[in-house]
Amino acid sequence: MSMGKVRSNIAEVFAPLVDLIYPPRCPVCGSGIRSQTGLCGDCWADLRIPGEPACASCQRPLNSEDVGQGAICAVCMAKPPAHDGIAAGTLYGDISRKLVLSYKHGRKTALAPLMARLIGARLPRLDGQWIVVPVPLHRWRLWSRGFNQAALLAREIARSTDSSVAVDALLRTRRTPSLGGLGQKARARALSGAIALNPRRAEKIAGAQVILIDDVLTSGATSDACVRALKRAGASKVVIACFARVLDE
């Protein structure tokens, strides 16, 4: 029996005791819920889930329901992306924002399985073998926070898709400033040379199909830098998967 199955069985055995000591609460609003691994009905209803129609290249929702299959959004037409698709579990909104803040800054790492399930539901069909790689944190940020939120999600995604995971495949070689409020060119300059492939994982990435994991996809500047580093290392495909996607409309 695999270690993952053993952990799952242990969790099932002790779940009633955990629920007795710590009654399940919605991580967003605090309402009582049935189990420790979900949201209340109202918060589920307010969670923004991507739907169709969507861009065939980046899965950006399209406004018109009259577009045909294979339609490409204006953003991808203007600048064809380096990635091979985006899978977002949710669109960034009030509920997803609160979940991300609780997870990343509130250190509620127990939210990782819930968030990973929402990401996994939006992943395209994965043929062949895939490697799951998280967006890296700089070592100082990792030490201060205590965990890489993308790495925890990557492990959950790897487990659910029966894929391998390489949490150190990418390295953030220097600290970068906050990208909020910066224009496209300024973001690119801030990230220039900041993300690189770990030489120890070069052989594993060459020719591989990669799922790149992050918690929030905002402008795409960081994920683009990661995709380009992976493609330079010889990755054959790189699909970006995130929990919440910020649309720029």
Side-chain angles (χ1 to χ4, degrees):
M1 182 181 295
S2 68
M3 287 302 297
K5 186 66 174 178
V6 170
R7 285 193 294 266
S8 178
N9 290 344
I10 292 174
E12 289 178 5
V13 169
F14 286 98
L17 180 59
V18 173
D19 289 349
L20 179 64
I21 300 173
Y22 303 104
R25 296 285 180 182
C26 174
V28 174
C29 68
S31 298
I33 55 177
R34 185 173 183 178
S35 69
Q36 302 278 359
T37 58
L39 305 176
C40 70
D42 288 342
C43 289
W44 274 121
D46 289 339
L47 199 62
R48 298 173 61 199
I49 304 297
E52 299 293 337
C55 173
S57 177
C58 76
Q59 287 75 56
R60 179 189 301 273
L62 298 176
N63 292 326
S64 174
E65 296 184 0
D66 298 327
V67 295
Q69 187 174 7
I72 303 296
C73 71
V75 176
C76 289
M77 285 193 290
K79 184 180 179 182
H83 61 70
D84 298 285
I86 296 175
T90 69
L91 299 180
Y92 195 78
D94 186 53
I95 302 301
S96 59
R97 179 182 63 84
K98 289 178 180 177
L99 283 170
V100 168
L101 290 175
S102 293
Y103 173 57
K104 183 160 60 176
H105 300 296
R107 300 177 182 270
K108 294 183 179 180
T109 57
L111 290 172
L114 167 64
M115 298 168 73
R117 286 199 301 274
L118 288 165
I119 297 172
R122 298 295 301 174
L123 281 172
R125 177 172 177 170
L126 302 176
D127 295 321
Q129 296 298 311
W130 289 75
I131 298 174
V132 184
V133 174
V135 168
L137 285 181
H138 187 267
R139 61 181 180 275
W140 290 108
R141 180 68 58 81
L142 181 61
W143 289 342
S144 64
R145 182 172 297 164
F147 66 99
N148 179 350
Q149 69 278 1
L152 297 185
L153 293 174
R155 289 192 175 98
E156 294 292 336
I157 293 294
R159 187 177 300 119
S160 65
T161 59
D162 196 26
S163 303
S164 61
V165 61
V167 295
D168 61 345
L170 292 174
L171 303 174
R172 196 173 289 250
T173 57
R174 60 179 175 80
R175 298 181 70 177
T176 53
S178 172
L179 302 182
L182 297 180
Q184 185 176 4
K185 291 183 178 180
R187 290 172 187 265
R189 284 196 299 269
L191 287 164
S192 179
I195 293 176
L197 185 81
N198 185 341
R200 293 183 298 174
R201 299 292 177 258
E203 185 175 348
K204 188 170 187 177
I205 295 301
Q209 301 184 111
V210 177
I211 304 173
L212 177 68
I213 302 290
D214 205 358
D215 58 335
V216 179
L217 179 66
T218 308
S219 68
T222 301
S223 59
D224 282 350
C226 293
V227 170
R228 295 184 190 283
L230 291 166
K231 289 289 183 80
R232 284 196 298 268
S236 61
K237 287 184 179 180
V238 181
V239 171
I240 300 170
C242 64
F243 170 68
R245 181 178 185 178
V246 179
L247 295 180
D248 53 10
E249 286 81 9

